[in-house]
Amino acid sequence: MLRFLGKRLLQVIPILILVSIFIFLFVHMIPGDPARLVAGEDATIEDVEMVRKELGLDKPVTEQYFTYMKNLFKGDFGNSLKTNRSVSYEIGERFMPTFWLTVWSMLWAVAVGLFIGVVSATKRNKWQDYLGMFGAVSGLSLPSFWLGLMLIQLFAVTLGWLPSGGMESWKSYILPAFTLGTGVAAVVARFTRSSLMDVLKEDYIRTGRSKGLNERKITWGHGLRNALIPVVTMTGLQFGFLLGGSVVIESVFSWPGLGKLLIDSVAYRDYPVIQAEMLIFALEFILINLVVDLLYGVLNPQIRYE
Amino acid sequence: MKKTYGWLSAFALILLLVLAGCSDSGKEGSAEGSGGDGKKAVKEGNDLVIAVADNFTTLDPHDTNDTLSNSAEKTMMEGLLGFDENMNVIPLLAEEYDANDEATEFTFKLRENVKFHDGTPFNAEAVKVNFDRLADPDSGLKRHSLFALIQSTEVISDYEVKFTLSEPFGAMINTFAHPAALIHSPKALEEYGKDVGKHPVGTGPFKFVEWKPSEGLKIEKNTDYWNEGYPKVDAITFKPVSENGSRIAMLQTGEADFIYPVPTEQVEGVNGKNGIEVESKPSIVVRYMAMNTMKEPYNDIKVRQALNYAIDKDAFIKVVMNGQGEKLDSVIAPDVQFYSKQELYDFNLEKAKELLKEAGVKEGMKAKLWGGNSSSTVKAMEFLQQQLAAVGFDVEVVPMESGTLSDKIWSVQNADDAELELYYGGWSPSTGDADWGIRPLVGGEDAFPPKSYNVSYYDNDEVNKLISAGLQTANEDDRAKAYEDVQKLIWDDAPWVFLSADNTLAGKKNYLKGVYLLPDGSLSVSEAEIE
């Protein structure tokens, strides 16, 4: 087990190096001149060239790449071209808000999604099932910016219970976490339902029933545990996506997150910020995958780590 | 399983509530904006919150190229001169100024007994330190080019300073009033160097408290402000809120006292309700469609004039701007210095068709129209496409992401290679002077991309002569004459289809006075007051 973990963590390093090379090339291939974009809308050619020199963009790409790699190994992501603050600061400012928002969104979404999924699967084709699935389809198909704005209208403007945006107190988390979680809850519900339905058709479930185990124990104990494998995989992926920040949610709720930072940095061709964000996303996905693999073992002890 | 029903019904209830909220706000949208409920909003405390559309990039005015950051800087720092509500130059840290006729020497008498927030006295030496920094070609500052002409800054006495330019530049006074010329405390410059943008220290009505890129900027009252009786509020927080709807919600809930911009389509919905007032004012932003005058058929003046006749500007303003703008009747907007009104190209399809026929342009003429990819820009381009279809043009709208678009336009080294045919764009001359509204856009070969913004590739000797004549003197009457002639020439020659001048739109609670947007789109809060 520990050996497995160590091996997996060592594998991260070459992957990240490959990713960093790929990102660097990719970012520099996007059309658009950061010097001009950073210099602004009414900059003269002199301004643009000055900015280019100032940002070190006048050097050959290969030299830029080696500087970037050298600094990377020192743990220095460079400075944002747009704001001249260090990239670590820019990302650090936004990482925790994004992380916590993701955690809270996932928590309620998984709890509610699992619950609806299980109820729908056990009450197949009854009204509970229809209602649950109606909810799930709605959750999937409501555009989140619309939902977000409606919730603001209702809970902030009309009722005045919650702040309309920003990040001031625990109350600030409620609306964005709810909005962000709806889609996830819906997906979890549907996955759980179909997976559990398949499992409940299995022989061992029939055996359990004929032994006289009560239905609740069968569903929640034996059935769900096996049904969770695909749900865990999917949840891990969703977690990774949300950690990347959601541009829509961050815009609607003025949330200081990574999603809008990425969009803005792409618009400005802010190379250092794009590169650092991409690296972090890659790392997040690698770690989440690892956690998912470990969870498989918890759910199904037959799975061995080689 | 009783619990299940409880859960599910709660879920259904929430869904219903959300849907109800939706139909409610749907009704509001169709309400009359002008009537309103006449309610006076109430404010507790003496601190303001202003919601803006984006993050500030820096708080160093010498290194700033966005109006939003300039707005924040102007709360804390001041220049020798500034602009009033109508973009007229007014004295701030200078009490009077004087220029020689050749527009090469500018002398300022400074206001006395002014202190920076860190206690450093404001004097000629402080001015010199700032302008030496700006004029230094190795400074790496984004606004250096505005001040590159300054050859020397001399301290005549404690409160008198003289600038000498390397060549005549008649528009220099307006450049001194530009937000880029705000003055840092020399002590802060020395202490923080390039990082002064995170620690702004000026002489302005407000002092810097804290700035976090994602949460916003906090400033507080400068109790030693030189202008007796101001500021009248204790503190201001600027919050970046990029989503239009969320900014409006903050104003409705009272979480913000002032917001800008307000999207044109939302004005009707909120104006006069919940104690909200939307203020619409003329700006100096001009909207135009540039035609590449070096390309067929736009090298023919008849075609360019025809397209000016072919577009219904009233409809443009109504459809694209939701009525928030004026027809553009010169190459610059009315609040720009030395503006001179021209006779409009009225909407006249017959005339347009006739001119096109004379020019030999056939039905089904294909053209590509370039522009940005924001929804309002695309809407404008589609409008132009429809209008031009009526005179037989088959226009393809090509919206591009900003980086790609700038690459397409400014990577052209040789004017003959330019692919650009038609371009929809806007311009705001941040110095408020005619020169900066004309020279970069239609100032001949010196302004061709990549040097500047002359995307019409318009090169007219007479225009070029007049543009430089306007800069050769500091004499207002001579300058006015030159710009009057130049505007007439450009208007008749029509390198653009002249469309509109925007309005600025801001929303505020009706207890708030003295906060307003200037025509250049920057914000003034020094007279802010809660009634």
Side-chain angles (χ1 to χ4, degrees):
Chain A
M1 175 78 186
L2 277 177
R3 264 190 49 207
F4 165 79
L5 248 176
K7 210 164 81 182
R8 285 287 297 263
L9 285 173
L10 277 178
Q11 281 171 359
V12 169
I13 297 163
I15 294 177
L16 282 184
I17 290 177
L18 273 176
V19 169
S20 70
I21 294 172
F22 182 74
I23 291 169
F24 183 89
L25 291 174
F26 172 73
V27 163
H28 281 75
M29 272 181 347
I30 320 174
D33 174 4
R36 182 164 288 274
L37 294 163
V38 170
E41 293 221 321
D42 57 354
T44 60
I45 186 89
E46 293 83 16
D47 292 325
V48 175
E49 290 318 312
M50 181 184 287
V51 168
R52 192 185 311 285
K53 205 166 141 220
E54 191 70 16
L55 301 175
L57 294 165
D58 54 342
K59 300 189 174 73
V61 174
T62 42
E63 188 178 332
Q64 284 183 48
Y65 175 71
F66 285 115
T67 317
Y68 154 74
M69 285 310 274
K70 205 168 66 198
N71 291 337
L72 208 56
F73 279 106
K74 285 190 249 165
D76 172 12
F77 288 110
N79 281 359
S80 158
L81 304 182
K82 185 180 166 196
T83 65
N84 207 10
R85 291 174 187 263
S86 79
V87 173
S88 326
Y89 175 86
E90 292 282 1
I91 288 180
E93 271 278 289
R94 296 167 176 86
F95 182 80
M96 279 338 261
T98 302
F99 177 78
W100 284 116
L101 183 61
T102 301
V103 168
W104 291 118
S105 309
M106 289 303 292
L107 273 179
W108 87 260
V110 169
V112 171
L114 275 179
F115 186 81
I116 293 179
V118 171
V119 171
S120 289
T122 46
K123 307 274 178 193
R124 197 168 32 163
N125 295 340
K126 295 204 174 74
W127 67 267
Q128 292 95 328
D129 181 22
Y130 292 131
L131 184 64
M133 284 306 107
F134 169 75
V137 171
S138 312
L140 271 181
S141 45
L142 289 178
S144 48
F145 73 89
W146 179 84
L147 180 63
L149 286 171
M150 284 308 135
L151 291 171
I152 290 175
Q153 200 61 35
L154 182 65
F155 290 101
V157 178
T158 311
L159 299 170
W161 295 347
L162 297 167
S164 66
M167 203 193 71
E168 320 258 302
S169 68
W170 62 271
K171 281 185 178 175
S172 305
Y173 279 91
I174 298 174
L175 293 182
F178 179 80
T179 313
L180 196 53
T182 42
V184 180
V187 175
V188 172
R190 297 186 55 137
F191 257 80
T192 311
R193 177 177 179 265
S194 62
S195 175
L196 188 56
M197 275 187 190
D198 289 344
V199 168
L200 291 180
K201 287 196 204 108
E202 295 283 346
D203 288 347
Y204 62 87
I205 298 287
R206 210 172 48 205
T207 312
R209 282 198 185 123
S210 55
K211 276 188 356 194
L213 285 176
N214 77 20
E215 199 60 27
R216 193 172 295 189
K217 202 160 177 174
I218 288 175
T219 311
W220 291 96
H222 301 264
L224 191 58
R225 188 163 170 172
N226 287 302
L228 274 181
I229 298 251
V231 178
V232 165
T233 312
M234 201 277 316
T235 307
L237 278 177
Q238 292 284 348
F239 196 87
F241 287 134
L242 295 197
L243 270 184
S246 152
V247 183
V248 171
I249 299 293
E250 288 165 21
S251 298
V252 169
F253 294 102
S254 323
W255 193 264
L258 291 172
K260 195 163 178 305
L261 180 68
L262 182 63
I263 293 291
D264 286 351
S265 58
V266 170
Y268 269 88
R269 303 295 187 270
D270 198 340
Y271 296 161
V273 179
I274 305 176
Q275 285 160 187
E277 280 222 53
M278 290 300 204
L279 269 182
I280 288 176
F281 294 163
L283 183 63
E284 282 166 1
F285 268 107
I286 293 169
L287 293 180
I288 287 168
N289 264 330
L290 184 55
V291 172
V292 166
D293 285 352
L294 292 177
L295 275 177
Y296 285 168
V298 175
L299 291 170
N300 185 350
Q302 286 179 326
I303 295 177
R304 289 270 163 268
Y305 298 110
E306 294 306 336
Chain B
M1 288 314 267
K2 268 215 170 95
K3 274 191 192 146
T4 323
Y5 305 146
W7 260 106
L8 287 173
S9 46
F11 191 75
L13 194 71
I14 287 174
L15 210 72
L16 281 172
L17 274 175
V18 169
L19 292 169
C22 145
S23 58
D24 229 26
S25 56
K27 278 208 288 285
E28 261 177 40
S30 57
E32 281 296 318
S34 50
D37 50 17
K39 260 199 312 216
K40 182 92 177 152
V42 186
K43 168 81 180 171
E44 285 172 24
N46 203 16
D47 298 356
L48 294 182
V49 175
I50 296 178
V52 296
D54 211 337
N55 292 323
F56 305 118
T57 51
T58 172
L59 295 174
D60 176 0
H62 303 177
D63 200 28
T64 299
N65 53 27
D66 61 296
T67 312
L68 184 62
S69 301
N70 282 147
S71 295
E73 289 150 1
K74 285 197 318 185
T75 63
M76 297 172 275
M77 305 162 83
E78 293 169 309
L80 296 170
L81 308 170
F83 293 113
D84 71 1
E85 283 186 79
N86 305 316
M87 287 305 276
N88 300 313
V89 174
I90 48 167
L92 271 176
L93 290 177
E95 281 179 319
E96 45 188 281
Y97 57 88
D98 195 26
N100 66 349
D101 279 349
E102 293 75 56
T104 51
E105 287 179 8
F106 297 82
T107 313
F108 290 83
K109 285 217 169 37
L110 308 181
R111 188 177 294 280
E112 302 187 15
N113 306 321
V114 176
K115 276 194 167 46
F116 289 99
H117 302 154
D118 59 6
T120 315
F122 166 76
N123 53 28
E125 189 52 44
V127 175
K128 179 173 163 57
V129 168
N130 274 270
F131 285 95
D132 283 352
R133 178 181 190 235
L134 271 166
D136 173 9
D138 300 326
S139 63
L141 296 166
K142 294 190 187 87
R143 285 300 188 181
H144 158 75
S145 64
L146 283 173
F147 305 91
L149 292 175
I150 297 180
Q151 199 174 1
S152 69
T153 306
E154 289 165 74
V155 175
I156 309 278
S157 69
D158 267 358
Y159 295 106
E160 195 169 355
V161 67
K162 183 171 137 194
F163 298 96
T164 309
L165 307 189
S166 54
E167 58 182 76
F169 191 71
M172 199 66 201
I173 285 299
N174 276 61
T175 304
F176 281 119
H178 188 285
L182 300 180
I183 293 176
H184 285 285
S185 153
K187 193 169 141 199
L189 279 178
E190 198 174 332
E191 196 172 336
Y192 299 112
K194 194 88 183 145
D195 266 352
V196 76
K198 295 164 204 161
H199 312 275
V201 182
T203 56
F206 294 93
K207 289 196 293 200
F208 176 74
V209 179
E210 182 189 38
W211 174 39
K212 287 192 164 166
S214 49
E215 288 169 38
L217 166 73
K218 288 193 179 72
I219 53 177
E220 65 183 11
K221 183 177 184 159
N222 169 14
T223 44
D224 294 334
Y225 189 49
W226 56 265
N227 193 355
E228 240 6 77
Y230 289 98
K232 292 184 190 293
V233 292
D234 296 338
I236 301 180
T237 306
F238 287 91
K239 289 188 176 168
V241 180
S242 58
E243 172 61 39
N244 287 329
S246 311
R247 264 200 312 282
I248 297 226
M250 284 181 77
L251 192 62
Q252 288 172 321
T253 60
E255 289 165 285
D257 308 287
F258 185 95
I259 64 167
Y260 81 100
V262 174
T264 52
E265 60 273 10
Q266 305 236 23
V267 175
E268 290 269 303
V270 292
N271 195 11
K273 295 193 191 66
N274 311 334
I276 292 174
E277 283 169 11
V278 177
E279 288 194 336
S280 172
K281 293 187 161 167
S283 81
I284 53 172
V285 176
V286 298
R287 303 272 164 200
Y288 58 88
M289 182 177 83
M291 296 166 272
N292 183 342
T293 57
M294 289 174 69
K295 262 197 164 36
E296 294 259 359
Y298 314 103
N299 53 0
D300 185 337
I301 182 171
K302 283 186 175 147
V303 175
R304 300 198 299 265
Q305 288 181 335
L307 297 197
N308 268 291
Y309 286 117
I311 305 277
D312 182 350
K313 287 87 176 180
D314 285 315
F316 178 85
I317 289 163
K318 206 160 130 189
V319 174
V320 178
M321 304 277 167
N322 293 297
Q324 299 294 342
E326 294 297 326
K327 281 187 273 194
L328 183 59
D329 53 10
S330 176
V331 66
I332 47 180
D335 278 332
V336 177
Q337 235 185 344
F338 307 120
Y339 150 88
S340 127
K341 189 179 165 69
Q342 307 299 315
E343 196 180 331
L344 284 166
Y345 287 96
D346 291 319
F347 176 52
N348 187 336
L349 280 178
E350 290 318 305
K351 195 160 184 175
K353 283 177 183 160
E354 201 176 305
L355 282 165
L356 287 171
K357 204 162 151 188
E358 284 172 33
V361 175
K362 303 243 179 336
E363 275 281 325
M365 171 76 208
K366 286 204 182 316
K368 281 196 169 70
L369 170 57
W370 290 3
N373 63 353
S374 73
S375 54
S376 54
T377 301
V378 173
K379 191 166 153 188
M381 295 201 288
E382 285 170 348
F383 176 88
L384 294 169
Q385 176 188 40
Q386 285 167 6
Q387 295 264 302
L388 293 174
V391 290
F393 268 72
D394 176 10
V395 177
E396 184 193 341
V397 171
V398 189
M400 288 182 243
E401 183 269 346
S402 58
T404 314
L405 181 65
S406 80
D407 233 28
K408 280 281 224 191
I409 294 177
W410 283 284
S411 62
V412 178
Q413 295 303 326
N414 183 346
D416 296 328
D417 303 338
E419 279 178 68
L420 185 141
E421 296 171 13
L422 303 171
Y423 166 78
Y424 171 72
W427 184 260
S428 167
S430 47
T431 59
D433 188 277
D435 174 66
W436 197 240
I438 297 173
R439 188 166 49 100
L441 299 163
V442 287
E445 211 168 326
D446 289 342
F448 284 2
K451 282 179 268 185
S452 200
Y453 294 76
N454 184 353
V455 291
S456 304
Y457 291 94
Y458 177 72
D459 190 9
N460 174 331
D461 285 343
E462 243 179 302
V463 166
N464 301 346
K465 273 200 202 92
L466 286 165
I467 287 177
S468 53
L471 290 179
Q472 294 306 315
T473 172
N475 179 310
E476 300 262 317
D477 297 341
D478 297 352
R479 295 193 71 211
K481 179 78 187 86
Y483 290 119
E484 192 184 335
D485 296 348
V486 98
Q487 286 172 72
K488 175 95 184 76
L489 277 174
I490 295 167
W491 187 259
D492 293 341
D493 229 356
W496 297 350
V497 172
F498 301 94
L499 296 169
S500 69
D502 285 10
N503 286 358
T504 57
L505 288 168
K508 65 183 192 63
K509 290 286 206 189
N510 54 16
Y511 49 68
L512 184 65
K513 290 277 174 293
V515 179
Y516 56 87
L517 288 171
L518 297 173
D520 67 356
S522 71
L523 184 71
S524 171
V525 294
S526 21
E527 295 154 22
E529 180 177 359
I530 293 164
E531 288 198 330

